[in-house]
């Protein structure tokens, strides 16, 4: 395992946990997305109640060099409200599906947040000074009687308690018939894409009343629908390239320079099915729940129900690496179909140097795979046994046969405790792992 | 697995299959398992949340699974047997409770919960001998993909079922038309109880996935009830066929 030895292996320690302690989870508190900003100083979470909570890392204390700064609440705001679609007589959930940060250009921070139908651009700015000494106004804002003004003075800025304000700057609405599953900001930092089950739209960040449809896989007859878009992302460096994944386990890479409507892919990534593993559930478990480019842009990672695959963009016919997340579930697929767990959408993420990938599993377990050493580790996000700066103990699931001490049998796994969302700090070994309603932050042990 | 400490044996657990004698740890035959999976899938398609739009990806994956099973059953010839069986039988009985899937084959023989199921399983006793060695996880490959629609058209339609379906649809459209969406409370106070019939729930789900006529930006800016009604009515024939699968199979 990682951490079991070797000087270069990371030893993960519990750092913080955010959220309610009690087991009774309020539905609105269910975390639905987690994302670090480009510097890693800010960590945003979105929840089912439509709220965004942003944590900020404390400046490193020079005297406490054995630990990195803690993340504390920086801003909380209601991003989306529940809506009602009168045409279809259906509610539109306020749940935040994705948050993506824009790179910082000035003092303010910007992020995009989206629910099923509407994307919003939020500006988060700090205010730590305010003007004082107006001539016509009192300090509390009341207007002074002009006849009492005998001298004039220039108002000056004085320090005040830090206030963090979030304000919606753009609202991108009415462009998606189906549920938005992805947003991705282009490397030109001017445009972004939003993807729903059947279509992908391209937006300009400044323009809200128009978007361009760049992918449309809706069949003329909806009865012929057999495949949907599950995720989409822009290439980190090439501003005309993006990929989208499907429920049939394929990834299509498109070049926007080829044509206005990118229905014909430039590349199609698909691994041939393993005939020995074929079952009625084969298609469902091949459905890709997340796709992420590596920071370098040379690789992309996909997550399907049982595995994580790394693809080289130059090779379409099979992935270059495959990692089994929880292969012991393969014999349980029928039960997982019955209780709908087979439809859980797990996300995945890269570390800053693209050497390790991470994804979640059940029982509040999460897994990391080191691409260089080919070692992997399973850790648990739990309030028990987690003291700050104590190294996390690796976990192991016993698939069959005799269960060793400290192992957990497959039948004892709690399938209600799923880790769908994880994020890795862009530069440091700090990870954020979301259980149902808690956010865990782990760091590597600094010596 | 889902309650700590309790073991549920679905037809997972291939390790039990080799070398077990029928009497000790009997597992359902392949056909039984396949039929159970089909029924469970159909139940899943119908159980949609009325307030929030159902997850299209999940619906598509389940529908594809149903299609796969039906294609295989058609090739086996077992699909034809279901057709001849179903006339005169209350179709909803055929929707097996998901309980049945996680019991051994001895329990269905007791036949307490699902009356229709018992007669169905009798016809497959002859198949059980050849199928007992197969498991759910090794489905035969589908050689000639058949259009799901063509299977549907072959099925007989009991007239009364169609009539009931028509009636339920009419009720839905009536309630849609009459609603003046001034407040959320008004909308829900007028909801017809027929919404909670399987048929009408299904219709609601399927018509919501049929966004072909409502997908341009213009319709969002000026929604009109008449537009949606005419679009839904033109899709009625399509909905007919879809519900036929669910009601007949």
């Amino acid at each position: 395992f990682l951490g079991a030895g070797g000087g270069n292996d990371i030893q993960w320690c519990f750092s913080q946990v955010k959220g309610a302690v009690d087991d009774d989870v309020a539905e609105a508190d269910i975390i639905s997305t987690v994302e670090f900003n480009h510097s890693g100083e800010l960590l945003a979470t979105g929840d089912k109640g439509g709220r965004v909570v942003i944590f900020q890392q404390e400046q490193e204390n020079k005297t406490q060099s054995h630990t990195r700064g803690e993340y504390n609440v920086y801003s909380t705001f209601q991003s989306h409200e529940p809506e009602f679609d009168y045409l279809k007589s259906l509610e539109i959930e306020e749940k935040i599906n994705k948050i993506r940060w824009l790179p910082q250009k000035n003092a303010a921070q910007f992020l995009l947040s989206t629910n099923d139908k509407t994307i919003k651009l939020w500006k988060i700015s700090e205010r730590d000074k305010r003007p004082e000494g107006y001539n016509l106004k009192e300090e509390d804002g009341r207007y002074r009687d002009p006849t009492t003004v005998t001298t004039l003075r220039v108002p000056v800025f004085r320090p005040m308690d830090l206030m963090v304000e979030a304000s919606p700057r753009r609202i991108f609405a009415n462009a998606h018939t189906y549920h938005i599953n992805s947003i991705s900001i282009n490397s030109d930092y001017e445009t972004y894409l939003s993807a729903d089950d059947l279509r992908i739209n391209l937006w300009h960040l400044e323009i809200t009343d128009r978007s361009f449809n760049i992918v449309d896989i809706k069949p003329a007859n909806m009865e012929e629908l057999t495949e949907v878009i599950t995720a989409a992302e822009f290439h980190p460096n090439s501003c005309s390239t993006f990929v989208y994944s499907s429920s049939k386990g394929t990834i299509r890479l498109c070049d926007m320079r080829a044509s206005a409507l990118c229905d014909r892919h430039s590349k199609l990534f698909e691994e041939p099915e393993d005939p020995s593993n074929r079952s009625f559930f084969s298609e469902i478990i091949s459905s890709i729940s997340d796709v992420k480019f590596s920071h370098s842009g040379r690789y992309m990672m996909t997550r399907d129900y049982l595995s994580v695959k790394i693809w080289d963009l130059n090779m379409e016919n099979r992935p270059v690496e495959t990692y089994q997340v929880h292969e012991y579930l393969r014999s349980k697929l029928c039960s997982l179909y019955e209780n709908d767990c087979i439809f859980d959408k797990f996300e995945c993420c890269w570390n800053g140097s693209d050497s390790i990938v991470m994804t979640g599993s059940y029982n509040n377990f999460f897994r990391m795979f080191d691409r260089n050493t080919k070692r992997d580790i399973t850790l648990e996000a739990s309030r028990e046994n987690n003291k700050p700066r104590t190294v996390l103990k690796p976990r192991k699931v016993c698939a069959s046969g005799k269960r060793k001490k400290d192992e957990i049998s497959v039948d004892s796994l709690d399938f209600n405790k799923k880790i769908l969302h994880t994020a890795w700090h862009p530069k440091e070994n700090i990870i954020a792992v979301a259980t149902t309603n808690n956010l865990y932050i782990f760091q590597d042990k600094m010596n | 697995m889902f309650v700590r400490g309790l073991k549920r044996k679905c037809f997972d657990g291939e390790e039990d299959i080799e070398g077990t004698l029928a009497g000790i740890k009997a597992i359902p035959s392949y056909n039984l398992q396949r039929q159970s999976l089909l029924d469970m899938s159909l139940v899943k398609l119908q159980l949609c949340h009325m307030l929030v739009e159902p997850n299209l990806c999940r619906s598509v994956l389940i529908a594809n699974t149903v299609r796969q099973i039906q294609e295989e059953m058609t090739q086996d010839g077992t699909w034809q047997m279901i057709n001849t069986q179903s006339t005169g039988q209350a179709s909803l009985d055929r929707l097996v409770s998901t309980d049945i899937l996680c019991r051994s084959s001895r329990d269905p023989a007791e036949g307490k919960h699902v009356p229709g199921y018992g007669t169905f399983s009798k016809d497959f006793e002859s198949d059980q001998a050849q199928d007992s060695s197969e498991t759910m996880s090794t489905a035969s490959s589908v050689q000639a993909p058949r259009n799901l629609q063509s299977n549907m058209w072959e099925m007989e339609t009991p007239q009364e079922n169609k009539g009931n379906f028509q009636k339920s649809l009419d009720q839905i459209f009536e309630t849609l038309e009459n609603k003046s969406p001034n407040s959320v409370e008004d909308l829900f106070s007028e909801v017809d109880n027929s919404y909670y019939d399987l048929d009408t729930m299904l219709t609601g789900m399927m018509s919501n996935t049929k966004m072909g006529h409502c997908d341009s930006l213009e319709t969002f800016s000026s929604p009109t009830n008449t537009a949606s009604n005419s679009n839904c009515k033109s899709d009625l024939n399509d909905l007919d066929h879809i519900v036929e699968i669910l009601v007949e199979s």
Side-chain angles (χ1 to χ4, degrees):
Chain A
F1 303 129
L2 282 179
N8 292 330
D9 287 345
I10 303 173
Q11 294 188 297
W12 289 103
C13 304
F14 171 81
S15 173
Q16 297 170 270
V17 59
K18 309 281 188 193
V21 183
D22 39 275
D23 285 339
D24 215 11
V25 179
E27 184 122 344
D29 293 339
I30 295 174
I31 298 173
S32 48
T33 186
V34 180
E35 187 83 355
F36 280 100
N37 76 336
H38 291 255
S39 67
E41 185 204 354
L42 299 176
L43 174 61
T45 62
D47 64 24
K48 211 163 176 218
R51 291 166 302 200
V52 170
V53 179
I54 302 177
F55 301 92
Q56 183 189 41
Q57 192 179 29
E58 271 173 10
Q59 291 306 310
E60 267 182 49
N61 194 329
K62 298 289 184 250
T63 58
Q64 286 189 308
S65 58
H66 57 268
T67 182
R68 292 192 186 81
E70 279 198 344
Y71 283 84
N72 300 315
V73 177
Y74 178 67
S75 172
T76 304
F77 58 93
Q78 187 75 33
S79 171
H80 286 70
E81 299 275 2
E83 286 173 48
F84 198 82
D85 181 340
Y86 294 107
L87 187 64
K88 294 193 258 179
S89 288
L90 288 172
E91 276 185 10
I92 299 171
E93 279 192 309
E94 66 274 32
K95 172 168 73 86
I96 308 295
N97 293 335
K98 284 282 169 5
I99 289 173
R100 290 286 182 264
W101 290 93
L102 265 73
Q104 190 171 12
K105 282 195 284 194
N106 51 40
Q109 301 277 358
F110 288 86
L111 61 80
L112 284 176
S113 71
T114 187
N115 70 346
D116 284 339
K117 299 284 186 179
T118 304
I119 307 129
K120 296 188 184 181
L121 176 70
W122 287 90
K123 176 180 178 184
I124 297 108
S125 46
E126 290 184 4
R127 194 197 290 259
D128 60 357
K129 305 183 259 295
R130 63 166 186 205
E132 286 178 21
Y134 284 104
N135 293 294
L136 297 175
K137 273 197 288 188
E138 303 285 1
E139 293 306 326
D140 59 10
R142 280 179 305 149
Y143 280 93
R144 290 167 73 181
D145 180 355
T147 56
T148 64
V149 178
T150 52
T151 59
L152 287 179
R153 57 193 173 160
V154 177
V156 292
F157 275 103
R158 296 216 190 277
M160 59 177 260
D161 288 341
L162 179 66
M163 221 168 64
V164 181
E165 301 170 320
S167 59
R169 305 304 283 181
R170 305 272 186 277
I171 296 181
F172 305 91
N174 298 330
H176 284 281
T177 306
Y178 304 98
H179 291 177
I180 298 173
N181 52 56
S182 311
I183 46 175
S184 177
I185 299 171
N186 202 346
S187 49
D188 65 9
Y189 301 142
E190 286 185 349
T191 58
Y192 74 94
L193 64 77
S194 58
D196 66 30
D197 295 314
L198 298 179
R199 299 196 178 93
I200 303 180
N201 293 331
L202 180 72
W203 302 84
H204 191 285
L205 283 165
E206 298 291 326
I207 300 168
T208 59
D209 61 356
R210 245 178 302 148
S211 75
F212 291 100
N213 177 243
I214 53 177
V215 173
D216 187 340
I217 65 166
K218 179 173 174 294
N221 185 353
M222 276 297 276
E223 281 178 24
E224 290 162 9
L225 180 64
T226 58
E227 189 173 12
V228 301
I229 297 169
T230 52
E233 193 176 63
F234 264 119
H235 190 276
N237 307 321
S238 165
C239 58
S240 55
T241 307
F242 66 93
V243 293
Y244 67 93
S245 59
S246 84
S247 55
K248 287 199 169 168
T250 64
I251 310 101
R252 287 173 173 78
L253 185 142
C254 301
D255 189 327
M256 295 195 292
R257 296 166 297 190
S259 70
L261 188 62
C262 300
D263 274 356
R264 288 192 11 234
H265 50 264
S266 302
K267 296 195 185 194
L268 174 67
F269 297 84
E270 188 174 14
E271 182 171 26
E273 197 180 0
D274 176 5
S276 65
N277 266 335
R278 176 128 180 76
S279 77
F280 282 121
F281 306 112
S282 293
E283 183 184 314
I284 298 178
I285 63 169
S286 74
S287 175
I288 291 171
S289 51
D290 195 15
V291 64
K292 292 265 169 52
F293 278 105
S294 64
H295 293 91
S296 64
R298 173 147 174 226
Y299 299 98
M300 67 177 173
M301 164 167 55
T302 58
R303 173 73 155 97
D304 51 71
Y305 191 62
L306 296 180
S307 67
V308 160
K309 295 179 181 174
I310 313 277
W311 303 78
D312 184 321
L313 293 190
N314 297 315
M315 185 157 72
E316 296 168 62
N317 60 350
R318 62 176 178 80
V320 290
E321 294 155 38
T322 301
Y323 301 104
Q324 301 302 332
V325 181
H326 36 220
E327 180 71 10
Y328 46 79
L329 296 183
R330 190 179 289 275
S331 59
K332 309 287 179 192
L333 292 179
C334 179
S335 306
L336 294 164
Y337 179 72
E338 188 196 0
N339 67 7
D340 265 14
C341 281
I342 208 173
F343 301 108
D344 286 336
K345 293 193 189 296
F346 292 94
E347 292 171 11
C348 53
C349 61
W350 299 83
N351 73 340
S353 59
D354 297 337
S355 60
I356 307 178
V357 296
M358 170 167 66
T359 190
S361 178
Y362 294 105
N363 211 69
N364 282 347
F365 288 171
F366 57 100
R367 303 259 287 138
M368 291 186 201
F369 303 93
D370 188 317
R371 300 176 62 212
N372 299 325
T373 65
K374 300 300 180 203
R375 288 208 288 265
D376 61 84
I377 192 169
T378 305
L379 298 171
E380 181 178 1
S382 147
R383 285 178 188 266
E384 304 164 2
N385 309 321
N386 276 327
K387 296 193 183 100
R389 294 192 293 285
T390 316
V391 178
L392 293 180
K393 196 173 85 165
R395 316 291 284 163
K396 186 140 166 64
V397 177
C398 164
S400 61
K402 284 195 144 201
R403 187 177 72 86
K404 300 196 189 83
K405 178 176 178 284
D406 287 348
E407 283 185 356
I408 296 173
S409 75
V410 182
D411 295 328
S412 309
L413 294 174
D414 188 341
F415 287 83
N416 292 319
K417 294 190 176 168
K418 45 194 102 179
I419 291 180
L420 304 173
H421 313 286
T422 59
W424 203 306
H425 190 290
K427 301 180 171 69
E428 312 275 357
N429 282 331
I430 303 174
I431 55 176
V433 172
T435 60
T436 306
N437 66 332
N438 284 166
L439 182 73
Y440 286 78
I441 299 173
F442 301 102
Q443 300 181 0
D444 69 351
K445 191 182 180 88
M446 293 171 79
N447 296 312
Chain B
M1 193 191 296
F2 311 108
V3 175
R4 271 185 177 264
L6 266 188
K7 232 180 175 162
R8 283 178 77 167
K9 280 244 170 251
C10 193
F11 38 97
D12 305 321
E14 297 155 40
E15 62 268 18
D16 291 325
I17 289 162
E18 282 115 46
T20 57
L21 299 174
I24 296 169
K25 248 188 192 175
I27 50 153
S29 77
Y30 177 79
N31 280 354
L32 231 74
Q33 293 173 358
R34 184 175 61 183
Q35 181 61 41
S36 302
L37 183 63
L38 176 64
D39 293 338
M40 176 174 32
S41 303
L42 295 173
V43 169
K44 278 181 178 301
L45 280 176
Q46 295 186 348
L47 290 175
C48 54
H49 303 285
M50 281 310 291
L51 290 180
V52 181
E53 212 162 356
N55 184 331
L56 185 62
C57 181
R58 176 179 172 275
S59 304
V60 165
L61 288 172
I62 297 171
N64 288 352
T65 306
V66 167
R67 205 172 277 130
Q68 237 190 307
I69 296 173
Q70 287 177 334
E71 278 170 3
E72 194 184 277
M73 288 173 98
T74 306
Q75 294 194 331
D76 281 0
T78 51
W79 189 250
Q80 298 308 318
M81 291 184 74
I82 297 170
N83 286 346
T84 55
Q85 270 250 302
S86 65
T87 50
Q89 218 174 16
S91 320
L92 291 177
D93 283 350
R94 303 294 319 288
L95 292 173
V96 181
S97 138
T98 54
D99 252 6
I100 207 95
L101 285 168
C102 296
R103 286 187 227 152
S104 69
S105 63
R106 276 181 295 173
D107 288 342
E110 286 159 11
K112 292 197 186 86
H113 296 267
V114 189
Y117 202 82
T119 49
F120 176 66
S121 63
K122 253 199 306 202
D123 299 299
F124 291 87
E125 265 165 47
S126 55
D127 290 332
Q128 276 180 2
Q130 69 193 60
D131 288 337
S132 57
S133 56
E134 293 180 58
T135 67
M136 268 315 290
S137 56
T138 56
S140 53
S141 63
V142 178
Q143 288 120 19
R146 288 265 297 262
N147 190 342
L148 180 65
Q149 277 72 19
S150 62
N151 287 342
M152 288 183 241
W153 312 157
E154 281 163 4
M155 286 191 276
E156 291 176 39
T157 311
Q159 279 311 115
E160 49 175 66
N161 272 347
K162 197 167 187 175
N164 286 340
F165 170 61
Q166 199 66 35
K167 183 161 157 282
S168 313
L169 264 187
D170 286 351
Q171 282 175 323
I172 299 172
F173 297 138
E174 229 178 82
T175 46
L176 272 177
E177 262 177 288
N178 290 340
K179 287 195 201 318
S180 54
N182 288 323
S183 69
V184 175
E185 295 82 58
D186 284 348
L187 279 159
F188 287 115
S189 65
E190 286 172 55
V191 167
D192 199 345
N193 282 336
S194 67
Y195 259 75
Y196 302 98
D197 290 343
L198 278 173
D199 279 353
T200 56
M201 285 169 94
L202 163 74
T203 311
M205 195 272 289
M206 289 313 287
S207 63
N208 289 329
T209 58
K210 286 183 174 303
M211 287 312 296
H213 307 282
C214 309
D215 59 354
S216 62
L217 296 178
E218 289 82 56
T219 56
F220 270 87
S221 55
S222 57
T224 57
N225 281 336
T226 49
S228 70
N229 193 35
S230 62
N231 292 335
C232 290
K233 287 219 158 111
S234 70
D235 285 336
L236 248 184
N237 287 333
D238 298 330
L239 287 171
D240 266 358
H241 295 308
I242 288 158
V243 173
E244 268 174 48
I245 317 166
L246 298 159
V247 166
E248 290 302 311
S249 55

